[in-house]
């Protein structure tokens, strides 16, 4: 059995509803469908969720939200009319949302109505049962997902239905107050349904053909990754490569369920399959993907015999912790410790932090280097295949790029190099040409 989640752009209008219907008809194992709210139909269009959030904002300020609400209404009515669905239900639901807005409904309730109405329409059109997410996705009183309760509720509710349509993005707390995930959270809902039902596959249907091996803004023709592991995905996502909500990974990964990223407008393309286990050594590409991020600063602390000094690292990190600064990486030498932090976060409190580090560990020297970009070369084959690291450094060196820092992730899944920010793109291009370009 397959759980298929369709994103906002996949349900933006009636034509897309038809595409989704065809995709479901192609594979009868696609039995549970999780939907987002209708997204943009063109670059200049607005997502239903954004319109609803604007309505809420205006209602809170006592301003008129009629114009935005009319756009929401029009979108659902257009879909209903073109699909020849009796729009009575949708009209009364929309009236309810409007009066809730007028009487101070919560932001989560209002935001969630995009998915709710979309799922209602789709279920009606497909003649499938609608199961409200408020009854099966449980949040705690602080608005945090209660995953154990959610998995139980989904399982109990959906075993009564061979097929069902479920709105994504929201759930409710014990008091039935609607709560939402962060933006893009229908991915998480879909993953939870897949995990609860022990699906064979979780399909995430979107408007891209899969995960690219490098950012297409840097490598225009970057290839699509046909398959990668969840751990590789995590490394690439940390560096900013993303096609799916970060929190969607954990439920399916823990349940050992593969995820397939597919393009609704191009259903023939196999997309990207994300799997749990490593592929056989020998078939592994050395580099699965490359991703990079600007905006890092390295704080290099040198002190003779640092290695022998118990608590050195803890004292340095305590200063950062006290100022709520997250350290991103921590490469060390015998007499030196390098802490990599986000430049913007550090700069807001830089002087006081440097003074406190100085007082805490009395280093012989502190060297702060701003403007560092990190490039991660991710691949389960990186450490298994002969000569790959030498190839990587050669490729970068041949472009005249100085490597400021480098470290191997303990996961043995990635090598991360630090370069000057203006070298980020050329470093990615050099590595791409050395490993991925055919
Ligand atoms: N509709 C919500 C958003 O725009 C949730 C989602 O699409 O996953 O963020």
């Amino acid at each position: 059995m397959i759980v298929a989640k369709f994103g906002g752009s996949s349900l933006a209008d009636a034509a897309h509803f038809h595409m989704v219907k065809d995709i479901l008809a192609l594979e009868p194992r696609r039995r549970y469908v999780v939907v987002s709210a209708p997204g943009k139909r063109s670059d200049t269009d607005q997502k239903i969720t954004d319109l609803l959030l604007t309505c809420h904002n205006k209602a809170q300020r006592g301003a008129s939200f009629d114009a935005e609400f009319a756009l929401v209404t029009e979108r659902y009515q257009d879909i209903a009319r073109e699909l020849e669905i009796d729009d009575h239900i949708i009209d009364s639901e929309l009236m309810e949302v409007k009066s809730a807005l007028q009487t101070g409904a919560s932001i989560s309730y209002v935001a969630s109505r995009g998915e709710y109405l979309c799922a209602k329409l789709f279920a009606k059109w497909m003649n499938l049962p609608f199961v409200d997410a408020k009854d099966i996705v449980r949040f705690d009183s602080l608005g945090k997902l209660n995953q154990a309760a959610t998995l139980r509720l989904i399982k109990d509710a959906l075993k009564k239905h061979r097929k069902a349509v479920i709105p994504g993005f929201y759930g409710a707390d014990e008091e039935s107050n609607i709560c939402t995930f962060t933006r893009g959270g229908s991915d998480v809902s879909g993953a939870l349904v897949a995990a609860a039902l022990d699906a064979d596959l979780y399909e995430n249907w979107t408007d891209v053909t899969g995960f690219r091996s490098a950012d297409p803004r840097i490598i225009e023709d970057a290839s699509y990754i046909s398959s990668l592991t969840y751990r590789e995905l995590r490394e690439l996502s940390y560096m900013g490569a993303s096609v799916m909500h970060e929190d969607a990974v954990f439920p399916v990964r823990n349940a050992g369920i593969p995820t397939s990223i597919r393009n609704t407008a191009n259903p023939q393309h196999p997309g990207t399959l994300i799997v749990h286990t490593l592929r056989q050594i020998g078939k592994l590409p050395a580099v699965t993907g490359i991703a990079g991020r600007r905006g890092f600063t390295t704080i290099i602390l040198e002190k003779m015999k640092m290695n022998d000094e118990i608590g050195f690292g803890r004292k340095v990190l305590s200063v950062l912790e006290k100022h709520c600064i997250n350290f991103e990486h921590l490469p060390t030498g015998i007499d030196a410790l390098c802490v990599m932090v986000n430049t913007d976060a550090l700069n807001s409190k830089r002087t006081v932090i440097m003074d406190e580090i100085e007082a805490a560990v009395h280093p012989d020297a502190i060297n702060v280097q701003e403007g560092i970009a990190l490039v991660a070369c991710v691949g389960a084959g990186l450490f298994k295949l002969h000569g790959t690291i030498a190839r990587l450094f050669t490729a970068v060196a041949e472009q005249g790029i100085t490597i400021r820092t480098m470290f191997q992730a303990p996961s043995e899944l990635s090598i991360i190099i630090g370069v000057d920010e203006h070298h980020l793109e050329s470093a990615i291009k050099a590595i791409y040409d050395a490993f991925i370009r055919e």
Side-chain angles (χ1 to χ4, degrees):
M1 180 274 292
I2 296 172
V3 172
K5 178 258 162 180
F6 291 88
S9 49
S10 304
L11 291 152
D13 54 22
H16 280 88
F17 271 55
H18 276 288
M19 288 182 198
V20 173
K21 185 179 190 179
D22 292 345
I23 289 168
L24 296 179
L26 276 175
E27 170 54 273
R29 287 186 307 152
R30 291 182 182 125
R31 286 172 28 210
Y32 298 96
V33 183
V34 176
V35 301
S36 284
K40 291 182 181 191
R41 292 159 293 186
S42 66
D43 286 349
T44 51
D45 199 14
Q46 299 190 66
K47 292 180 175 188
I48 288 292
T49 310
D50 289 330
L51 288 167
L52 287 168
L53 288 170
T54 308
C55 290
H56 181 264
N57 182 292
K58 289 195 164 179
Q60 292 294 99
R61 289 186 282 118
S64 163
F65 55 83
D66 288 351
E68 289 79 12
F69 200 78
L71 293 173
V72 173
T73 306
E74 198 184 309
R75 182 87 74 94
Y76 286 109
Q77 282 175 343
D78 282 354
I79 295 174
R81 196 185 49 253
E82 285 176 46
L83 299 179
E84 295 175 358
I85 308 169
D86 173 6
D87 56 12
H88 261 68
I89 330 157
I90 218 74
D91 282 349
S92 59
E93 298 276 9
L94 281 162
M95 296 259 285
E96 221 171 277
V97 180
K98 190 165 190 177
S99 76
L101 272 161
Q102 283 155 343
T103 50
S106 75
I107 185 164
S108 300
Y109 169 82
V110 175
S112 73
R113 294 306 88 185
E115 271 71 12
Y116 171 83
L117 294 169
C118 186
K120 276 252 150 146
L121 265 185
F122 189 74
K124 174 117 180 79
W125 183 54
M126 295 286 295
N127 204 13
L128 289 172
F130 164 86
V131 176
D132 197 339
K134 82 172 171 25
D135 302 322
I136 57 172
V137 177
R138 184 64 64 243
F139 287 79
D140 66 19
S141 55
L142 300 171
K144 213 171 143 275
L145 174 75
N146 179 342
Q147 181 158 319
T150 298
L151 295 179
R152 223 175 24 247
L153 288 166
I154 293 176
K155 199 168 169 185
D156 288 350
L158 294 186
K159 72 179 176 211
K160 299 180 195 127
H161 304 283
R162 223 190 88 74
K163 293 181 170 189
V165 179
I166 305 116
F169 188 41
Y170 71 92
D173 65 17
E174 295 287 352
E175 262 78 62
S176 294
N177 300 308
I178 298 289
C179 306
T180 61
F181 294 110
T182 51
R183 295 299 301 266
S186 298
D187 290 343
V188 187
S189 312
L192 289 165
V193 173
L197 302 181
D198 196 18
D200 299 317
L201 179 65
Y202 172 42
E203 286 181 342
N204 201 297
W205 291 85
T206 173
D207 54 1
V208 295
T209 303
F211 215 90
R212 310 276 296 251
S213 53
D215 186 337
R217 285 167 301 185
I218 298 172
I219 313 278
E220 216 178 299
D221 59 346
S223 59
Y224 288 99
I225 302 174
S226 59
S227 61
L228 77 164
T229 63
Y230 280 110
R231 292 172 71 202
E232 288 176 315
L233 175 78
R234 174 100 181 106
E235 305 260 343
L236 287 168
S237 306
Y238 164 75
M239 281 295 185
S242 143
V243 283
M244 195 168 74
H245 193 295
E246 208 187 350
D247 295 342
V249 171
F250 301 104
V252 270
R253 176 179 169 171
N254 291 344
I257 299 168
T259 298
S260 175
I261 309 287
R262 303 287 298 268
N263 187 347
T264 303
N266 185 8
Q268 306 313 327
H269 195 289
T272 298
L273 184 67
I274 308 159
V275 291
H276 201 263
T277 51
L278 294 177
R279 283 152 284 148
Q280 289 298 306
I281 296 170
K283 287 192 187 151
L284 294 173
V287 175
T288 306
I290 310 155
R293 245 168 78 187
R294 290 188 168 80
F296 292 95
T297 293
T298 55
I299 307 169
I300 301 167
L301 303 164
E302 284 181 52
K303 189 173 185 187
M304 283 303 278
K305 297 206 163 180
M306 179 204 87
N307 212 33
D308 284 342
E309 194 175 318
I310 291 176
F312 188 95
R314 178 186 50 77
K315 288 177 200 158
V316 174
L317 297 183
S318 299
V319 173
L320 295 176
E321 185 180 356
K322 184 177 146 204
H323 291 283
C324 293
I325 295 197
N326 193 19
F327 79 90
E328 305 277 345
H329 296 284
L330 199 66
T332 57
I334 302 171
D335 290 331
L337 173 80
C338 169
V339 192
M340 302 209 74
V341 292
N342 177 291
T343 304
D344 291 341
L346 176 70
N347 280 353
S348 56
K349 304 163 188 164
R350 183 161 159 175
T351 315
V352 53
I353 287 176
M354 288 307 146
D355 289 349
E356 288 185 20
I357 290 180
E358 174 86 54
V361 292
H362 308 291
D364 299 334
I366 304 188
N367 182 357
V368 180
Q369 229 173 37
E370 272 191 32
I372 302 288
L374 294 182
V375 180
C377 317
V378 178
L382 210 52
F383 296 91
K384 309 253 166 34
L385 304 174
H386 184 68
T388 45
I389 314 287
R391 243 167 93 201
L392 185 126
F393 288 133
T394 306
V396 175
E398 276 173 356
Q399 297 306 313
I401 300 169
T402 305
I403 296 178
R404 300 264 169 228
T405 177
M406 62 102 4
F407 40 96
Q408 158 190 344
S411 60
E412 294 210 343
L413 274 182
S414 67
I415 294 250
I416 298 176
I417 60 170
V419 296
D420 290 335
E421 283 180 342
H422 64 273
H423 279 144
L424 173 66
E425 300 197 348
S426 41
I428 290 179
K429 282 183 182 146
I431 301 166
Y432 188 89
D433 287 347
F435 288 100
I436 301 179
R437 190 174 296 288
E438 312 243 299

